[in-house]
Amino acid sequence: MKSDISIRQIFTVASFNFRGWHKNPRAIMVFVLAFVLCTLLTDKAISFAHDYGTNMQIMEAFIWTFGDANSIMISSLLLILLFADMPFFSGFTPYYLVRTKRNIWLWGQVLYVALATLIYMVFILAVTMAISMHISFIGNMWSETGAILAFSGFGAEIMLPTSLKAMILSYPYQCALHVFLLMVGYTLFLASVMLMLNIRLGRFWGVMGAFLLSIYGLLLNPEIFMQIFRLPDAVAYRANVAVGWLSPLNHATFHMHNFGYDFLPRLWMSYAIFTVMTAICLFMARRGMEKYSFAFTGTDI
């Protein structure tokens, strides 16, 4: 009975945070910017298909756009803007804290973050599908556009991350599912780091921590990594493997994985790493919540 009550309280706390979305300028701005981001990033692939008179598979715009570490980082930072004020206080926070435990209130915030992340990622997927729908088909096979971009090298020339390895070793729906789950795993990890730092050190360090983690992942891009340390081309493969393991952002990038013939992390390893690291951050947030000092002024926080 107590567990049922606790679960209901967790869902109640989480659902309350969603009620203010339609009046929250930051939430509206995040989804508007996400729409603009998807439009800008998918324009290259769609324009290329129009120019060559070819079609696309319905998932390819999403796969090519968010199979790139830079696009993943930008989209995750937009969502972090929504979570900038974690843990989420309102005039009803004292009401919940009086009638439940701190840990129940915290898990309600965690559930909200997880559900909000899923909604945001589904929104991005839906937007990219809608934008390319007029030239797309739904069959589970790669399109002429994808084949030209990947096999001819045009993808690299127009800065479109079309992965030849992804096309050879997977199908569109399978690939899109992994791209989606990797993005969710990375964003949840980033949000958990932010929540833990917000509770333990304050909101400034939470935002700074998420930003620095993103910059760390960006700097561990294989090409940037080699330029910074002036490594010769002979060690390019080793550098690629090293940053593939060391960077959370590369763990979220589909083509930076081992599909049976190299030493990059396998997909299940990246999922496990995101799960374990997120769990550690949430455990530390829970421990920090025991000593967290709430400051109330009337019903304002």
Side-chain angles (χ1 to χ4, degrees), residues 23-78:
K23 297 181 180 179
N24 187 341
R26 190 165 62 246
I28 296 172
M29 182 173 65
V30 164
F31 283 92
V32 170
L33 291 176
F35 179 85
V36 173
L37 177 68
C38 291
T39 302
L40 294 175
L41 293 178
T42 56
D43 181 67
K44 294 178 183 178
I46 295 174
S47 297
F48 184 89
H50 279 303
D51 292 342
Y52 280 79
T54 55
N55 58 9
M56 296 178 63
Q57 206 278 342
I58 191 68
M59 291 292 176
E60 282 184 344
F62 175 74
I63 293 169
W64 303 147
T65 299
F66 295 100
D68 175 64
N70 294 334
S71 300
I72 295 172
M73 183 194 69
I74 296 172
S75 64
S76 63
L77 287 178
L78 282 181

Side-chain angles (χ1 to χ4, degrees), residues 76-143:
S76 63
L77 287 178
L78 282 181
L79 185 59
I80 292 303
L81 178 62
L82 180 64
F83 300 150
D85 58 344
M86 290 190 297
F88 309 100
F89 295 145
S90 70
F92 286 91
T93 301
Y95 171 86
Y96 287 122
L97 291 175
V98 168
R99 287 161 177 77
T100 188
K101 299 178 181 179
R102 288 187 175 206
N103 286 339
I104 298 297
W105 180 80
L106 175 63
W107 290 123
Q109 310 305 321
V110 172
L111 178 61
Y112 164 72
V113 169
L115 293 176
T117 300
L118 285 175
I119 292 172
Y120 175 78
M121 293 303 174
V122 170
F123 175 80
I124 285 180
L125 175 61
V127 169
T128 54
M129 290 173 61
I131 292 173
S132 62
M133 186 177 296
H134 63 290
I135 57 170
S136 298
F137 61 90
I138 62 174
N140 194 23
M141 64 183 70
W142 299 108
S143 68

Side-chain angles (χ1 to χ4, degrees), residues 116-182:
T117 300
L118 285 175
I119 292 172
Y120 175 78
M121 293 303 174
V122 170
F123 175 80
I124 285 180
L125 175 61
V127 169
T128 54
M129 290 173 61
I131 292 173
S132 62
M133 186 177 296
H134 63 290
I135 57 170
S136 298
F137 61 90
I138 62 174
N140 194 23
M141 64 183 70
W142 299 108
S143 68
E144 295 176 84
T145 303
I148 295 173
L149 287 171
F151 286 92
S152 67
F154 284 153
E157 292 181 12
I158 64 174
M159 301 300 291
L160 192 65
T162 319
S163 172
L164 178 60
K165 182 166 66 172
M167 293 188 64
I168 295 175
L169 299 175
S170 65
Y171 292 95
Y173 288 113
Q174 175 191 9
C175 186
L177 176 62
H178 284 300
V179 171
F180 180 87
L181 293 177
L182 289 170

Side-chain angles (χ1 to χ4, degrees), residues 180-214:
F180 180 87
L181 293 177
L182 289 170
M183 287 180 65
V184 170
Y186 173 75
T187 306
L188 285 177
F189 167 62
L190 198 63
S192 67
V193 170
M194 190 173 177
L195 176 62
M196 181 268 293
L197 292 176
N198 279 8
I199 291 175
R200 286 184 167 268
L201 301 177
R203 290 179 179 174
F204 171 80
W205 289 111
V207 175
M208 185 60 65
F211 178 75
L212 291 177
L213 184 61
S214 299

